[in-house]
Amino acid sequence: MSQLAQWRKQNWVRIGTDGSIKGPCGTSKDKKNPDRCLPKRKALSLTKSERASTARKKKAAGAKGKTVVANTSRAKVRTK
């Protein structure tokens, strides 16, 4: 299975800076500095504070113009 097919099966969700799951990935209102997205399974495996931490890291770097921001170590998505 291709990586794109695997990605589509993972059901990615959007994470708010408060650590809550906000809905499907790609639905952020702020297109210049979007919210963090994670596979739903990964998002649910993290605590609310861990989700908030990775989301805040993305928002802070995005405010400085960065487009690609690495996850925190706990939120890293492992590919098979």
Side-chain angles (χ1 to χ4, degrees), residues 12-17 20-28 30 33-39 43 46 50-62 67-73 75-77:
W12 286 60
V13 293
R14 192 165 52 87
I15 309 298
T17 54
S20 61
I21 296 173
K22 301 285 189 177
C25 187
T27 59
S28 182
D30 186 356
N33 189 7
D35 294 331
R36 168 74 76 199
C37 286
L38 291 171
L46 300 172
E50 288 170 338
R51 288 192 303 259
S53 177
T54 193
R56 282 193 304 267
K57 180 180 177 186
K58 172 137 173 67
K59 281 292 192 180
T67 54
V68 178
V69 182
N71 276 313
T72 57
S73 60
K76 284 207 187 317
V77 177

